[in-house]
Amino acid sequence: MKLILRSDELNCPSCVPKIEKALGQVAGVAHAKVHFTTGRIEVEYDADQVKTDQLVSAVRNVGYEARVSAF
C-alpha cells in the first residue's frame, strides 16, 4: 500500500533523513520518501504488518507532527 502523510513542521532539510530513517525502521515499511519543500511524506508499506497510526507515531517520535493526507 501507499500512504501520504503531511507535515507542516519541516523547517530544515536535516529533518528529511531523520524521518525517512524512522519510518524505514518500522516493520512492514518498504520505502519512505520525504519531500521537504511540500511537507509530503510518501510511505510504501504492508498493511498486514503496520497500521497508519504506527507510521504517524514514528514521525512523532523523531519530533515532527504528521497527519494522513488524501493527496
Side-chain angles (χ1 to χ4, degrees), residues 2-7 39-42 67-71:
K2 189 169 186 177
L3 175 71
I4 304 298
L5 299 174
R6 293 272 179 191
S7 178
R40 181 179 165 119
I41 305 166
E42 298 175 9
R67 65 191 179 283
V68 176
S69 178
F71 56 91

Side-chain angles (χ1 to χ4, degrees), residues 59-70:
V59 175
R60 185 175 295 125
N61 287 341
V62 290
Y64 303 93
E65 289 297 320
R67 65 191 179 283
V68 176
S69 178

Side-chain angles (χ1 to χ4, degrees), residues 3-44:
L3 175 71
I4 304 298
L5 299 174
R6 293 272 179 191
S7 178
D8 299 325
E9 298 185 349
L10 307 184
N11 52 15
C12 69
S14 68
C15 63
V16 171
K18 282 188 214 172
I19 295 170
E20 289 177 348
K21 181 179 178 184
L23 288 168
Q25 291 175 338
V26 175
V29 172
H31 181 74
K33 174 72 177 157
V34 176
H35 299 274
F36 171 70
T37 55
T38 61
R40 181 179 165 119
I41 305 166
E42 298 175 9
V43 186
E44 291 179 35

